[in-house]
């Protein structure tokens, strides 16, 4: 996926139905491409370009990592 992919505008978190942020694997905290919900602090993997948006596929992000991810998402 790329940041201007129109699909990102319609994808939503399966738990709170809110928007998700694309995390690039170029960032040091992000080992693989994923979609992040900062409200619930959940990360969903993107496997072979396909977002895995089942509630069970998301993982909880620890507080310290959440703070660092917020800094990465800020312009």
């Amino acid at each position: 996926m790329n940041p201007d992919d129109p699909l990102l505008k319609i994808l939503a978190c399966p738990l709170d139905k809110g928007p998700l942020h694309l995390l690039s694997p170029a960032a040091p905290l992000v080992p693989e491409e994923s979609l992040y919900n900062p409200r619930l602090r959940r990360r969903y993997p993107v496997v072979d370009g396909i977002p895995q948006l089942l509630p069970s596929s998301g993982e909880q992000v620890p507080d310290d990592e959440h703070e660092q991810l917020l800094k990465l998402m800020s312009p």
Side-chain angles (χ1 to χ4, degrees):
M1 297 186 87
N2 60 41
D4 19 322
D5 192 329
L7 186 61
L8 284 175
K9 294 185 191 288
I10 62 171
L11 288 177
C13 174
L15 298 175
D16 75 353
K17 310 301 186 237
L20 296 166
H21 298 274
L22 180 64
L23 298 177
S24 168
L29 288 176
V30 185
E32 60 186 14
E33 190 173 45
S34 56
L35 294 170
Y36 186 58
N37 178 341
R39 298 166 308 285
L40 298 180
R41 300 179 183 197
R42 292 192 61 82
R43 177 175 35 217
Y44 297 92
V46 176
V47 179
D48 296 328
I50 301 170
Q52 307 297 305
L53 293 177
L54 293 173
S56 61
S57 65
E59 66 177 353
Q60 198 70 31
V61 172
D63 291 340
D64 57 334
E65 188 176 344
H66 169 71
E67 293 301 324
Q68 293 174 341
L69 289 172
L70 287 179
K71 289 177 187 173
L72 283 176
M73 292 185 320
S74 299

